[in-house]
Amino acid sequence: MSTSTMPAAKAARWDPGAEQRLKRAALELYLEGGYDNVTVTHIAERAGPPTRRSCFRCFPDKREVLFAGSEHLPRALAEAALTADPNAAPLTAALDAPARVGTRLAAHVDGATERRAVIDAGPELQERERTRAAAITEAIRDVLIQRQVHAGTAEPVAQLATVACDNAFRRWTGAKGACEVRQLPGRGGRRTAGRPRRDVTRTGARCRD
């Protein structure tokens, strides 16, 4: 009987709030002492009850604390672009995707400005950020090809959309959410009959003062 209750006892000790505490602790430490000077042990100690093992249960390494959840964005953006208005121009479909997955983007607002400061200060983290951006570009490119866009056009359009969305997201997070999700690139930018194609290049998110 005692062995059958052991898994339940172990499960009871796991704190579902540990991941958020570890994220906050890691970000604080990275800002205070620099990313390179922080260890997993430091993060676990700052977070409180979670142990070093708990930290690795949430994140494979200290770098991934800054990128947790971002692995889901390429697929989410691709699915949104795939189901965009069939008559939309390629760039319009690509830029519309972030607004359509706004609820997932909103989850990254808290601490986004601080996270960006840490990444910008570390070459290793910048490389990881480029890898993340490349995954988004690849996902959008593949979807545009599925939408019958020529590969030679899909690649640069996907690259432009990735850069534009990243810039808009920076503005959005910098405004602490003052920019509405629907105001991210793409909303209202669909090309209709008689509208000049240049309108699809509108990429700025409008923010309230």
Side-chain angles (χ1 to χ4, degrees):
M1 180 178 296
S2 59
T3 56
S4 62
T5 59
M6 284 180 65
K10 288 183 179 180
R13 288 198 296 270
W14 170 246
D15 180 1
E19 181 173 343
Q20 289 304 317
R21 287 205 306 275
L22 287 164
K23 284 183 179 180
R24 287 195 298 270
L27 192 54
E28 290 172 0
L29 288 168
Y30 295 158
L31 291 169
E32 292 171 8
Y35 172 82
D36 291 336
N37 298 319
V38 177
T39 66
V40 171
T41 299
H42 293 150
I43 297 172
E45 290 175 349
R46 172 68 67 90
T51 63
R52 193 171 190 272
R53 181 177 299 177
S54 299
C55 190
F56 280 117
R57 185 182 300 180
C58 294
F59 312 104
D61 56 52
K62 68 174 188 175
R63 180 184 62 177
E64 292 307 310
V65 177
L66 296 167
F67 297 95
S70 64
E71 69 274 12
H72 302 300
L73 284 178
R75 180 177 179 180
L77 291 168
E79 290 175 350
L82 183 62
T83 57
D85 183 353
N87 297 317
L91 186 57
T92 302
L95 293 179
D96 192 52
R100 300 182 69 195
V101 296
T103 53
R104 301 191 191 189
L105 292 174
H108 294 270
V109 172
D110 291 340
T113 302
E114 294 79 4
R115 170 185 172 276
R116 172 57 56 184
V118 174
I119 292 174
D120 288 346
E124 175 189 350
L125 299 176
Q126 291 173 25
E127 180 61 31
R128 177 63 177 81
E129 182 77 347
R130 284 191 288 270
T131 299
R132 181 195 65 83
I136 291 176
T137 298
E138 181 180 357
I140 294 176
R141 180 204 64 201
D142 291 347
V143 162
L144 291 176
I145 292 174
Q146 290 183 54
R147 289 173 60 92
Q148 307 305 311
V149 177
H150 188 276
T153 300
E155 180 71 27
V157 167
Q159 292 174 349
L160 178 59
T162 300
V163 172
C165 292
D166 182 63
N167 289 339
F169 184 66
R170 288 189 185 219
R171 293 181 60 191
W172 185 40
T173 54
K176 302 298 183 182
C179 297
E180 297 181 10
V181 171
R182 63 181 176 81
Q183 294 174 321
L184 284 171
R187 277 299 182 224
R190 292 187 178 88
R191 184 170 63 88
T192 56
R195 178 179 294 177
R197 181 175 292 271
R198 66 177 179 274
D199 284 354
V200 303
T201 61
R202 293 177 58 190
T203 59
R206 295 171 297 172
C207 302
R208 295 193 299 269
D209 294 332

